[in-house]
Amino acid sequence: AKNSTILARLIFCTFLMLSSWKYSAQQEEIQTYLFSEEFTPDGFNKRVSRLNSQKIETKLFKAYYLKLRGNHTGFTNLMAELVPRYANFNKNPFLHFLYNLQLSYYYAEQGSMAKAKSAVMMGNLVATSARQKDWQAYLYAQLGQIYSDEGLKDSSFSSHKKSIEFAKRSEGLITLSRCLHDFACSNAIFSQVERSVEQELHALLLVQKIKNDYYTSLFCQFIAKLSLEAGNIRESENYLFKSEQRNKANKCVTIELENKLLAAKIELKKGFSEESLKFLPKTIARIEKIQVEHMLGEALLIYGQALSINNNCVEAMAVFSKAQSCFEKLKTPKKLPRFIIQRV
């Protein structure tokens, strides 16, 4: 009986060791994938779904996915649970970096910019110690976004330039392309549309080179938005078509819905508000299901504009009120841009 007890304990300990080893291997795979040229949010989530959902590290990865997807409520709720769990992440450099990056996103969305900057600085200490240029690139990109939300153009651009410098010294092109996109977003917020297009075209060339359909589609979509902002409808339609074609293989729901909203804006710009009214209600219903607040707010704004043009003023006011509620949940940026910025 004694020997049986010892054997059972040995088997149990071996099982725990194998389980721990398997989880560590899966976690390492996720870290590698995050900076790989094949990276997409859905691909990231697919790998995260293989992990034990109750582990604190898995929740950190899930929060990152929700942030990328634009699910503000899901991200905020999950990060509120993770904020006091600092001790769970500070022994692993990668987790410590990702925790601080997420913490900065969280505080920025809460409007606590000083805390958001502190989280970036803490993450940068970890990244510097670990000699990880990719990590530093993403942290400085986040700092640039914080400053742009505060309306501090010079500080924002300086941080973005540092982000790109670190990205150029890192391995692979996905980090550089994402950092260029973030800089393009900040330029757009400060109404420097021409410069924003230049940076986005550079980012687009990089992701086309590595054949990443998700980011190719996303960056084409952003150029289409910028072109429409500049009044170039034909160019906007051209890049919207390219985005839609690339997304056929990738089948990203958020890109598909954003493209439908962009198509509606183009129809409004061309004076065909009736066309927008035909498909906007169904599009809004789909956006509500996936809980992406910034996209829902944008959709409601476009729908309200279409209703207003068609003299449905009472209904339009009700829709505008719903849009305002969506943007109030987001808290930042303090000034609503003329089109909604999608960070990556």
Side-chain angles (χ1 to χ4, degrees), residues 299-311:
L300 290 168
L301 278 179
I302 298 167
Y303 188 38
Q305 289 168 6
L307 288 169
S308 180
I309 291 170
N310 281 269
N311 296 317

Side-chain angles (χ1 to χ4, degrees), residues 21-32:
W21 176 83
K22 181 181 179 182
Y23 187 84
S24 296
Q26 290 173 324
Q27 187 174 298
E28 187 174 337
E29 179 193 3
I30 286 173
Q31 179 178 346
T32 301

Side-chain angles (χ1 to χ4, degrees), residues 197-255:
V197 171
E198 289 176 4
Q199 289 161 341
E200 197 72 359
L201 284 170
H202 187 183
L204 178 60
L205 287 173
L206 295 178
V207 292
Q208 287 176 328
K209 184 177 181 179
I210 61 179
K211 298 180 180 180
N212 187 310
D213 285 338
Y214 170 80
Y215 281 109
T216 298
S217 181
L218 185 67
F219 295 167
C220 282
Q221 180 190 87
F222 192 57
I223 293 171
K225 289 183 177 182
L226 293 169
S227 298
L228 187 62
E229 172 72 6
N232 193 335
I233 296 176
R234 181 175 294 181
E235 192 76 349
S236 182
E237 289 179 317
N238 178 34
Y239 275 96
L240 173 59
F241 176 76
K242 290 180 180 180
S243 178
E244 290 172 335
Q245 290 300 108
R246 282 291 187 171
N247 196 46
K248 284 182 178 179
N250 191 56
K251 296 179 181 179
C252 174
V253 175
T254 53
I255 289 180

Side-chain angles (χ1 to χ4, degrees), residues 30-41:
I30 286 173
Q31 179 178 346
T32 301
Y33 181 73
L34 181 60
F35 302 103
S36 73
E37 294 179 349
E38 296 80 26
F39 176 80
T40 69

